[in-house]
Amino acid sequence: MATSLKRRSVLTAGFAGVMSVLLAVSGCATGGTARRPGPALKSGSATALKGDVTVWSWDVAAKALKRLAPAFEQQHPGVKVKVVDIGYDNAYDKITVGMRSGQGLPDVLTVEGSKLPSYIGNFPRGLYDLTSLAGRYKSSFAPATWANVTDEQGRVFALPWDSGPCALFYRTDLFQRAGVDPASIHTWDDYVRAGEQIKAKTGKKLLVMDPAEDSTFPMMLQQQGQRYFKDGKVAVADQQAVRAATLLKTLADKGLVDFEKGWDGLVAATKSGKVATTPYAVWWSGTLTDEMKELKGKFGVVPLPAFDAGGVRTSNDGGSTLAVAGQTKNPEAAWAFVEFALADAANQASMLKTEGLFPAFLPALNDPYVSAPQDYYGGRPVFKTFADLEKTVPPVEYTKDGSKASDIVNGTISGIVLHHDDPQKALNSAAQQIAAATGRAVG
């Protein structure tokens, strides 16, 4: 999995600029038209596929689709697939403008799973309803990833592509120096105690946080079975949210957090050995193996600590989907390519081996490569750990208002970990702000 960390991040971590784009379209997302049902793609066509299919994607994802396209064209000689790398930085601007204007989009769109509900909710005619064709694959995807591609009525608007099950990456050498057994960390309380011992013995901190755009808090929320909304109501000030925020405050107050700005800060801190662990998604492995070759043999992986003994020990961060744009003139061929790429175990497994994209398609996790020893991790079969965790990631509720909530939550968590704000009071205020911005009730 030789993928750089910046390239890996394009399918995972969200950025403030993208969030603001989605925020800007809320309330005017249908382009001034009535909220009519979008186009639906039905099964039963017996005609041979033909014509062009254009796909928008970026970086390693685009490379993967370009690699697979010739095999699809060989199966369907009448179809020509063109994969366009539109770059991540402007991807959502382009998609949003195209949906708002009703023109200019390709046949197939790459959309991150956490962002897809915003488009489904804000642009009801923006994507094809694929329920009659894609619905049969529901059991072939983990509930958490399937929840991202469906709406409140259970209609399907995309297929999941890669996913981001989370675990705890740890430095084996630092744990050994500190006399901490990683297998002894079962809960977050165990994690805090281990961090104190590691700091005392080695001087190293436990984890990196970006105070401006934290991903640890939403990861901990999903571990407890929720995101920013639950049953349509704002859920950032309930018991689960306060528990997660209090844990982060505890880590910060004990001096176990290394605060770094952005992705580059995370990479630099990990590379230089400032921290002993990284609670993160499977795609972080691509960063380690590509950017930190000199640290081969110094990392291991165990499940995330649970909030309570015997509780859930994973979450999800990142992952993407492929959707058929409502504007396409060739929906049958577009869907056929999506199905070929994502509902095929061999193709999905090949994207793990070649591009480092961890399969959302569960049959692909039976590929021998997933359970094989990995040299970088001292022969440990780390992908097997993630494959086992993938099936237990709690599904959560994403809505069209996710970007609004995220901006408010980011500022709130920053105040809690940097300025010692009281978690309950700060989150109460955040919940009221989100309610005012979205018109939703506080749960």
Side-chain angles (χ1 to χ4, degrees):
M1 286 175 48
T3 47
S4 81
L5 83 122
K6 278 191 177 179
R7 286 182 288 152
R8 287 304 301 118
S9 70
V10 301
L11 291 179
T12 53
F15 299 99
V18 173
M19 291 299 186
S20 64
V21 170
L22 294 181
L23 177 60
V25 302
S26 298
C28 58
T30 57
T33 61
R35 290 184 64 86
R36 294 173 293 163
L41 190 56
K42 304 294 184 182
S43 59
S45 175
T47 59
L49 298 176
K50 59 182 179 180
D52 297 334
V53 172
T54 300
V55 184
W56 278 5
S57 196
W58 51 81
D59 296 286
V60 292
K63 291 181 178 179
L65 296 180
K66 288 178 181 178
R67 179 175 58 80
L68 292 176
F72 177 79
E73 293 171 343
Q74 189 173 18
Q75 290 184 14
H76 304 281
V79 181
K80 182 67 177 177
V81 177
K82 180 182 181 182
V83 179
V84 181
D85 186 339
I86 60 172
Y88 183 79
D89 291 344
N90 298 314
Y92 292 107
D93 297 271
K94 293 178 179 179
I95 294 172
T96 300
V97 169
M99 287 196 180
R100 181 188 291 169
S101 65
Q103 59 185 358
L105 292 181
D107 304 286
V108 176
L109 294 166
T110 302
V111 183
E112 289 164 289
S114 61
K115 294 179 175 61
L116 188 68
S118 292
Y119 285 110
I120 294 172
N122 287 320
F123 298 93
R125 298 185 61 79
L127 301 172
Y128 257 86
D129 179 346
L130 304 173
T131 307
S132 66
L133 294 168
R136 64 191 180 95
Y137 290 114
K138 179 179 180 179
S139 63
S140 296
F141 293 92
T145 55
W146 192 253
N148 288 341
V149 302
T150 57
D151 68 2
E152 294 87 347
Q153 289 76 46
R155 294 176 298 181
V156 186
F157 290 89
L159 278 185
W161 183 348
D162 64 320
S163 62
C166 296
L168 186 69
F169 293 84
Y170 67 93
R171 282 284 298 263
T172 56
D173 54 338
L174 297 179
F175 270 63
Q176 288 171 358
R177 282 170 54 190
V180 175
D181 179 2
S184 69
I185 300 177
H186 301 289
T187 67
W188 286 111
D189 288 339
D190 295 336
Y191 180 70
V192 172
R193 286 191 290 269
E196 292 179 299
Q197 184 170 336
I198 290 169
K199 183 181 179 182
K201 297 288 187 179
T202 70
K204 305 296 184 179
K205 296 189 177 183
L206 197 51
L207 77 161
V208 171
M209 279 187 65
D210 181 349
E213 195 172 351
D214 166 61
S215 64
T216 315
F217 179 70
M219 180 191 74
M220 290 177 170
L221 277 185
Q222 181 159 5
Q223 185 180 8
Q224 299 177 85
Q226 68 184 62
R227 188 76 173 188
Y228 301 142
F229 302 97
K230 191 172 184 179
D231 298 326
K233 298 179 180 179
V234 180
V236 301
D238 61 5
Q239 179 182 358
Q240 289 77 17
V242 172
R243 195 174 191 188
T246 301
L247 172 58
L248 293 179
K249 184 177 185 298
T250 298
L251 290 165
D253 290 348
K254 290 180 176 292
L256 301 178
V257 177
D258 177 40
F259 292 104
E260 302 285 351
K261 184 177 180 181
W263 183 260
D264 290 342
L266 169 63
V267 174
T270 305
K271 191 178 179 73
S272 63
K274 286 186 177 181
V275 294
T277 73
T278 307
Y280 226 176
V282 61
W283 42 260
W284 179 241
S285 180
T287 299
L288 299 179
T289 57
D290 188 50
E291 300 268 337
M292 307 179 205
K293 293 182 176 65
E294 71 278 10
L295 297 178
K296 178 180 177 181
K298 293 186 176 181
F299 284 97
V301 175
V302 293
L304 285 183
F307 277 91
D308 296 300
V312 175
R313 299 195 62 181
T314 189
S315 184
N316 188 81
D317 187 352
S320 54
T321 73
L322 286 180
V324 177
Q327 300 171 23
T328 179
K329 299 296 190 291
N330 199 0
E332 291 81 8
W335 159 251
F337 182 69
V338 171
E339 184 178 35
F340 169 83
L342 305 188
D344 181 282
N347 286 340
Q348 280 265 31
S350 78
M351 287 188 278
L352 172 61
K353 300 172 189 176
T354 308
E355 286 85 23
L357 302 173
F358 195 79
F361 191 57
L362 295 179
L365 299 180
N366 296 321
D367 189 272
Y369 180 78
V370 174
S371 56
Q374 299 297 319
D375 289 342
Y376 186 84
Y377 296 94
R380 301 178 185 90
V382 295
F383 292 133
K384 182 64 165 58
T385 298
F386 286 104
D388 292 340
L389 292 172
E390 165 74 1
K391 303 164 188 176
T392 64
V393 175
V396 296
E397 182 177 333
Y398 288 96
T399 77
K400 66 179 183 179
D401 296 321
S403 57
K404 296 178 182 179
S406 181
D407 288 340
I408 294 169
V409 168
N410 282 337
T412 302
I413 295 300
S414 179
I416 291 171
V417 298
L418 290 181
H419 307 299
H420 312 290
D421 292 349
D422 178 79
Q424 182 71 74
K425 291 180 180 178
L427 291 172
N428 284 342
S429 175
Q432 293 300 325
Q433 293 176 59
I434 295 169
T438 63
R440 296 175 182 268
V442 176

